[in-house]
Amino acid sequence: MDGGAQYNPRTVEEVFRDFKGRRAGMIKALTTDVEEFYQQCDPDKENLCLYGFPSEQWEVNLPAEEVPPELPEPALGINFARDGMQEKDWLSLVAVHSDAWLLSVAFYFGARFGFDKSDRKRLFSLINDLPTIFEVVTGAAKKQVKEKSSVSNHSGNKSMSNSKVRGSESQGKYSKVMQPKDEEEGLDEEDEDEHGETLCGACGENYASDEFWICCDICEKWFHGKCVKITPARAEHIKQYKCPSCSNKRARP
């Protein structure tokens, strides 16, 4: 077992390619090859790990003997829990640990080869555009794709291009919604520059062009849709959006 470390990806694109290959192998183990994977995870054996390789192959094996290992190690002893829980719950647990391992390997390469802040952000953005292994195994990924498809069909003129300047009197009904970049091709560099310093009123994180945001019509603060539990589809039916804080306040006379 070589842990897939026969070569060292040195650019963001190479690390992402490495990530996708390992991810594909692990998804294969937990879906199409699940019977074989289940059999290999014998609870009577020693601590076993699930490895994914850049070649899109997977392997169940003992952890590396060298300490510290050349690459971060996957979760140990996944086989011990196999017979102690429902199979789907066990597979979901392995999927969660596999997601964590993939991220640790990707950012290990990033740290090793000196990725700066923008490189790390770009790498995470590429990774984050893919469903997690957990989402694939549990079926959540299919649900998200269906929802995204539905939103894309209704995007039209309700675009972020109508919301370049916050508070502008010329903005229409949908001006308080920032659509994700992949759903609105009309987004240009000027939009990104203007919203780049916008912070979410709930979590305090910066605006990113690949995320859905909505603005409160009362306090005019921007929020991640996920932070206030508003989806793009739901936002289309809201005439005046009030954030949780403003909703809890008394209406002014």
Side-chain angles (χ1 to χ4, degrees), residues 134-153:
F134 175 79
E135 288 170 340
V136 172
V137 170
T138 59
K142 292 181 181 178
K143 184 178 179 182
Q144 288 179 8
V145 169
K146 186 175 180 181
E147 181 179 280
K148 185 175 180 180
S149 172
S150 173
V151 171
S152 297
N153 290 336

Side-chain angles (χ1 to χ4, degrees), residues 100-218:
W101 179 66
L102 287 176
L103 283 172
S104 69
V105 171
F107 282 88
Y108 163 81
F109 284 130
R112 181 173 176 182
F113 297 114
F115 286 9
D116 59 19
K117 181 179 179 180
S118 62
D119 287 336
R120 294 192 301 271
K121 185 175 181 179
R122 189 153 59 94
L123 175 59
F124 181 76
S125 179
L126 289 169
I127 290 172
N128 204 38
D129 282 341
L130 295 173
T132 63
I133 296 178
F134 175 79
E135 288 170 340
V136 172
V137 170
T138 59
K142 292 181 181 178
K143 184 178 179 182
Q144 288 179 8
V145 169
K146 186 175 180 181
E147 181 179 280
K148 185 175 180 180
S149 172
S150 173
V151 171
S152 297
N153 290 336
H154 294 288
S155 55
N157 65 341
K158 307 167 186 64
S159 68
M160 184 180 169
S161 59
N162 292 329
S163 62
K164 289 184 178 179
V165 182
R166 289 187 301 162
S168 169
E169 294 178 2
S170 63
Q171 293 171 6
K173 172 181 172 184
Y174 299 99
S175 64
K176 296 297 185 179
V177 174
M178 287 194 219
Q179 292 284 6
K181 186 172 182 180
D182 61 346
E183 293 173 2
E184 289 297 331
E185 295 179 0
L187 178 62
D188 55 26
E189 292 180 5
E190 181 183 352
D191 296 327
E192 285 202 48
D193 291 340
E194 290 187 25
H195 293 290
E197 298 303 316
T198 303
L199 300 179
C200 173
C203 70
E205 293 294 322
N206 284 333
Y207 164 73
S209 60
D210 58 352
E211 295 178 308
F212 169 73
W213 282 52
I214 188 166
C215 182
C216 175
D217 287 306
I218 307 303

Side-chain angles (χ1 to χ4, degrees), residues 1-5 18-26 51-59 101:
M1 180 193 68
D2 61 5
D18 179 274
F19 176 93
K20 285 199 299 183
R22 296 176 190 276
R23 172 181 172 274
M26 300 177 100
Y51 292 89
F53 300 128
S55 60
E56 300 189 6
Q57 300 303 310
W58 61 273
E59 180 181 60
W101 179 66

Side-chain angles (χ1 to χ4, degrees), residues 6 21-22 42 73 78-79 107 130 139 154:
Q6 292 180 333
R22 296 176 190 276
D42 186 345
E73 283 292 305
I78 57 171
N79 51 315
F107 282 88
L130 295 173
H154 294 288

